[in-house]
Amino acid sequence: MEVKTNINWFPGHMQKAKREMKEKTSLVNIVYMVLDSRIPKSSFNHLVKEIASNRPILLLLNKADLADKIETKKWMDYYKSQGYYCLDIDAITGYNMNKIVPLTYEILKDKIERNKERGIKLSMKAMITGIPNVGKSTIINALVKKKITQVGDKPGVTKTQQWVKLDSNLDLLDTPGVLWPKLEENGMNLALTGAIKDDIMPIDEIVKYGFDFMNTYYKEAFYERYKIDKIDSIYDIYEKIAKARGCKIDDYEKINNIFLHDLRHEKLGRVTVDRLTSV
Ligand code: G4P
């Protein structure tokens, strides 16, 4: 007997999302893919290449304020070597945001020139894509300088499609294309930065992974924040965090939350979780 389950629902849903994104992309001349500068690999979705077809892709490495500057530079050099255009930005303070429009014109200059020669007076069109929580709405808001999208919007909420003017000759689709991250490959790094919700992976494992990560790459900041002198076991770390932050030594839940909050909000310094060696 054939048992019908709804196991195919998710792939079907993904197919629909992909089709919709392809339709939107067919309307634009350039695709912006927003990455989280702390996880430039884990927040990169290869589907964009397929969807963009031969349109240029500008990678916007957002939340640059939270990432390690040296690593961001390495990632930008790497992506440039792979044929992408790149810009590191911080949509909150506005760092490099004023470079997006001029860079877009630069990237599209041949197309603009061709249109001119043929007497075509069409504005260039762009759209923003990226995984949830990477800052797409914040970027759109900052670019159009008014609140047209609700920050924190959930994917799947349908809105009427509309274009917003970024400049006299450049329009932006006001609804971003939402891409899904690959949990199988990048789950821990996505979880550590808070790109995915804390209930998707076991929090103890995320925290343990985070301790190892900090101890490997940012030992000084890690030791300094929690007054750690040496680590013989993971319990030493829990103990030191509890002591430094005035909570009960066996309140693991609280300590987990303190550590993750610190790591995600620059209290342990700027961190880049994806390392280029992991490409
Ligand atoms: P989305 O549309 O891609 O889903 O992302 P959205 O703009 O809603 O932004 C997600 C969170 O990231 C928001 O914080 C936003 O303020 C923050 N954010 C966006 N751009 C930047 C940036 O360049 N730097 C920093 N530091 N933060 C940025 P939130 O709603 O408070 O969420 P969370 O901070 O608790 O994750």
Side-chain angles (χ1 to χ4, degrees), residues 62-66 89-92 131-139 151-153 265:
N62 192 37
K63 307 196 185 184
D65 54 311
L66 302 177
I89 57 167
D90 167 359
I92 301 223
I131 66 167
N133 211 28
V134 75
K136 300 179 295 301
S137 312
T138 313
I139 294 173
V151 174
D153 253 355
H265 294 88

Side-chain angles (χ1 to χ4, degrees), residues 61-120:
L61 281 84
N62 192 37
K63 307 196 185 184
D65 54 311
L66 302 177
D68 181 331
K69 273 185 182 169
I70 296 170
E71 297 301 313
T72 302
K73 163 97 176 53
K74 285 189 203 164
W75 276 106
M76 300 239 296
D77 289 346
Y78 167 75
Y79 277 127
K80 281 178 189 164
S81 77
Q82 300 295 302
Y84 294 98
Y85 301 94
C86 291
L87 189 65
D88 54 330
I89 57 167
D90 167 359
I92 301 223
T93 65
Y95 167 72
N96 269 350
M97 290 292 290
N98 61 354
K99 292 192 181 159
I100 296 178
V101 172
L103 183 56
T104 303
Y105 283 142
E106 172 65 23
I107 296 168
L108 295 173
K109 69 173 187 301
D110 290 348
K111 171 99 189 151
I112 294 170
E113 200 50 45
R114 275 199 308 276
N115 278 359
K116 222 184 209 171
E117 278 165 17
R118 292 179 194 155
I120 301 170

